[in-house]
Amino acid sequence: MKTGEDARGEGSTGPQKLGLCVLCGLPAAGKSTFARALSHRLQQERGWAVCVVAYDDVMPDAFLREASARPLPSQWKLLRQELLKYLEYFLMAVINGCQMSAPPDRTEAMWEDFITCLKDQNLISSAACEAQSCYLLTKTAVSGPLFLILDDNFYYQSMRYEVYQLARKYSLGFCQVFLDCSLETCLQRNGQRPQALPAETIHLMGRKIEKPNPEKNAWEHNSLTIQSPACSPEASLKLTDLLLTALENPVKCVEDNVEQKETDRITCSTNILHQADQTLRRIVSQTMKEAKGTLGTYRLGSRPDSAASPVPWTLGWVLSFQS
């Protein structure tokens, strides 16, 4: 694996480097402020194009305008998946160097907010082809490294894994940044917001949140925890190295799925045991039949030569296998 140090030279040629960064943490942990500061720093110091996609800016308003109610958890899941589909359409346009088309099935208000998000960050341009639901990419979007920072709670590991799957599908860099902030601080900040969340929502999320766990999940190895609100110079350096390492080591499309391999291994082991059990049953059944036949011969007074009888050898083999 190439490290961030190997990626210091930005003059290398080759395919455009693309990365996805999942920024996760409790509500009011400071994620949006952190994302804006990170975006500015990467553009100024690295010359990268950066796209911050704040889920709160794209999904809730869109849903409220169309449904006039907060979505249920199952609806939130569908909205999250729909937003990932929008991101995929944008990524396909960047990778293929073509116009970005609109998905045929979309929530119109949510799509408009997503388009506004890209325009505000100078990644697509306003053009006449918008009438045909296609959008031109700007030079900024295709001229150098591009990092997409996804700003949301992502409190379940499964939510982050969906982003990882997208990175794997297109061989993109992938990393995670967990903004660690105390529950008390989050509640205090939330209370100062114009549209505050219910305190119970933050308490509940604090109990349910699944922090990145590289030791348990191999796909989360490129993760970093940063304390909020303070971000030390050392943490800043680690963050830069995390992003550089992700860009230089994109997830491979054919990367082995460790979880699936483990499932397959267990299934295979179960099948082998099942086959062995069936074989033993057949052997025991055949042995009992032969033993019954031999006993019948004994009763008729025709005792066979014990050395020629297969019964002792077969039973001995079965007993040794079972032990």
Side-chain angles (χ1 to χ4, degrees):
M1 174 187 290
K2 297 179 181 179
T3 65
E5 292 297 329
D6 300 322
R8 301 296 179 187
E10 300 295 339
S12 59
T13 59
Q16 183 181 8
K17 295 174 181 176
L18 305 173
L20 289 173
C21 176
V22 171
L23 181 58
C24 51
L26 290 175
K31 298 183 298 298
S32 297
T33 301
F34 182 88
R36 289 192 295 268
L38 177 60
S39 173
H40 179 75
R41 184 160 69 86
L42 292 176
Q43 292 178 68
Q44 295 297 314
E45 297 180 6
R46 294 283 165 182
W48 294 355
V50 181
C51 177
V52 177
V53 180
Y55 280 43
D56 285 348
D57 293 341
V58 177
M59 294 199 302
D61 288 346
F63 191 93
L64 291 171
R65 286 201 299 269
E66 297 198 353
S68 300
R70 288 193 66 81
L72 298 173
S74 58
Q75 294 170 318
W76 270 121
K77 182 176 181 180
L78 292 176
L79 288 172
R80 298 174 70 88
Q81 292 173 344
E82 184 175 346
L83 181 51
L84 280 180
K85 177 60 67 175
Y86 297 172
L87 286 167
E88 184 172 5
Y89 269 67
F90 174 65
L91 287 167
M92 286 191 295
V94 173
I95 292 170
N96 296 319
C98 61
Q99 298 175 352
M100 183 182 71
S101 59
D105 300 323
R106 60 186 182 272
T107 303
E108 201 60 44
M110 184 170 161
W111 174 251
E112 290 175 3
D113 284 344
F114 179 69
I115 291 300
T116 299
C117 172
L118 297 181
K119 284 183 180 178
D120 288 347
Q121 297 177 84
N122 193 31
L123 296 173
I124 60 173
S125 61
S126 300
C129 66
E130 288 185 25
Q132 289 77 42
S133 297
C134 61
Y135 305 85
L136 298 174
L137 300 179
T138 63
K139 184 178 180 181
T140 301
V142 298
S143 60
L146 170 63
F147 236 112
L148 277 70
I149 301 173
L150 309 188
D151 167 15
D152 194 34
N153 306 128
F154 290 107
Y155 57 95
Y156 283 142
Q157 169 249 310
S158 58
M159 297 174 177
R160 303 191 297 271
Y161 188 69
E162 289 178 339
V163 181
Y164 171 80
Q165 288 178 308
L166 181 61
R168 183 172 61 186
K169 183 176 181 179
Y170 294 99
S171 286
L172 312 177
F174 175 81
C175 63
Q176 299 180 130
V177 176
F178 178 74
L179 216 55
D180 194 4
C181 184
S182 70
L183 181 63
E184 292 74 16
T185 301
C186 290
L187 289 169
Q188 182 181 10
R189 290 176 178 173
N190 177 69
Q192 298 170 352
R193 290 179 168 180
Q195 294 180 329
L197 289 173
E200 180 55 33
T201 299
I202 299 180
H203 277 288
L204 180 62
M205 199 175 295
R207 292 193 295 267
K208 289 187 173 183
I209 195 164
E210 298 171 353
K211 300 179 182 181
N213 189 346
E215 295 182 359
K216 178 181 178 182
N217 304 311
W219 61 271
E220 291 193 294
H221 74 277
N222 220 17
S223 301
L224 178 66
T225 296
I226 293 181
Q227 298 298 319
S228 174
C231 182
S232 66
E234 181 183 1
S236 181
L237 290 175
K238 288 182 178 179
L239 176 60
T240 300
D241 198 63
L242 177 80
L243 299 172
L244 287 166
T245 300
L247 277 185
E248 291 299 315
N249 299 275
V251 184
K252 296 179 181 178
C253 289
V254 295
E255 183 179 77
D256 290 333
N257 188 327
V258 176
E259 296 173 1
Q260 186 61 46
K261 283 181 68 177
E262 179 64 13
T263 301
D264 293 343
R265 185 191 67 78
I266 295 173
T267 301
C268 181
S269 299
T270 302
N271 289 340
I272 291 174
L273 290 173
H274 176 71
Q275 292 170 9
D277 178 66
Q278 293 298 310
T279 301
L280 278 173
R281 289 176 183 270
R282 286 194 298 270
I283 292 172
V284 171
S285 177
Q286 182 63 31
T287 301
M288 296 301 292
K289 288 179 181 179
E290 292 174 357
K292 185 177 180 180
T294 302
L295 291 174
T297 303
Y298 290 162
R299 284 194 292 269
L300 291 174
S302 177
R303 177 169 179 163
D305 181 5
S306 61
S309 174
V311 177
W313 176 85
T314 308
L315 287 174
W317 185 86
V318 172
L319 291 173
S320 65
F321 187 93
Q322 290 178 323
S323 63

